[in-house]
Amino acid sequence: MNGIWIDEHLYTGRPSPDGRLPKEMRVYDLLDSLKMPYVRIDHDVTPSIESCQHVDELLGIEICKNLFLCNSQKTDFYLLMLPGTKKFRTAALSKQIGTSRLSFAPAEYMEQYLDIAPGSVSVMGLMNDKQNKVHLLIDKKVLEAPYLGCHPCVNTSSLRLSTKDLLDKFLPYTGHNYLAVEL
């Protein structure tokens, strides 16, 4: 189990708010209000995508790697979703989106726009980006899968969601579009 504790029970509803951060509970509130079913698993902090391997197996998905990026001027911000095992190639992505010098965005922007701390980056954070400052980029392999995995704005739980629900319900609610990319 890669040295982290994992509650191997698959939960299909919201947890008790005891010991949970409000930002995590807001994710469940939103998913429930949008009638988006999800499967949840709780675990210790997952410090890397590799530590999510057993979580992936239990949920029957591949957790998405979520990267928060920006241009060199720190004026354009991007959330990139790609399969956890796929390598991120800056040059390939920069060319596809017509931006040069992409890098990892500083943590303060992640907090400001997504209300997420490093290590917990998730597409769910877009619910907090009311001014649509963050552009969503999704690798085509993620879009092809029937389900995707993500954190509920904290990295002590993981969710399995329908990719279709994310695209047809969640993104329209947040007002975000996405650009399909191939890395």
Side-chain angles (χ1 to χ4, degrees):
M1 288 197 300
N2 298 318
I4 65 168
W5 169 83
I6 300 172
D7 176 353
E8 296 194 7
H9 184 83
L10 299 177
Y11 298 94
T12 56
R14 59 185 298 105
S16 162
D18 298 338
R20 306 272 177 168
L21 293 174
K23 64 180 156 187
E24 178 184 6
M25 296 309 296
R26 286 193 308 269
V27 170
Y28 303 125
D29 290 343
L30 178 58
L31 294 176
D32 291 347
S33 75
L34 294 175
K35 297 184 180 3
M36 288 178 58
Y38 54 91
V39 176
R40 176 180 53 84
I41 195 165
D42 296 326
H43 46 74
D44 281 341
V45 169
T46 50
S48 67
I49 206 75
E50 291 77 23
S51 65
C52 293
Q53 185 174 5
H54 190 58
V55 172
D56 291 5
E57 292 168 5
L58 292 168
L59 289 174
I61 46 102
E62 180 178 6
I63 294 286
C64 288
K65 189 184 301 184
N66 291 267
L67 305 177
F68 188 58
L69 308 166
C70 66
N71 62 358
S72 58
Q73 299 84 7
K74 296 179 181 60
T75 55
D76 292 320
F77 296 89
Y78 304 90
L79 175 61
L80 171 64
M81 298 174 67
L82 68 159
T85 55
K86 212 171 212 189
K87 298 283 186 206
F88 169 56
R89 292 183 170 73
T90 309
L93 180 61
S94 295
K95 185 175 180 178
Q96 286 182 62
I97 65 172
T99 300
S100 62
R101 298 190 186 161
L102 279 179
S103 63
F104 291 101
E108 62 263 21
Y109 292 104
M110 191 182 309
E111 286 280 349
Q112 178 182 346
Y113 296 131
L114 302 177
D115 190 22
I116 294 179
S120 302
V121 180
S122 168
V123 67
M124 294 291 107
L126 292 177
M127 66 186 272
N128 302 312
D129 180 25
K130 303 294 187 201
Q131 297 178 342
N132 286 25
K133 296 287 188 183
V134 180
H135 306 282
L136 179 60
L137 309 171
I138 307 177
D139 186 273
K140 288 181 180 176
K141 288 289 185 195
V142 172
L143 293 170
E144 292 169 1
Y147 295 97
L148 60 88
C150 65
H151 292 307
C153 294
V154 296
N155 66 355
T156 52
S157 290
S158 295
L159 304 175
R160 179 181 70 206
L161 302 168
S162 157
T163 304
K164 182 174 176 19
D165 281 351
L166 179 85
L167 302 177
D168 295 347
K169 295 179 182 180
F170 180 80
L171 292 180
Y173 171 83
T174 66
H176 287 81
N177 294 314
Y178 71 92
L179 177 64
V181 296
E182 198 161 4
L183 300 174

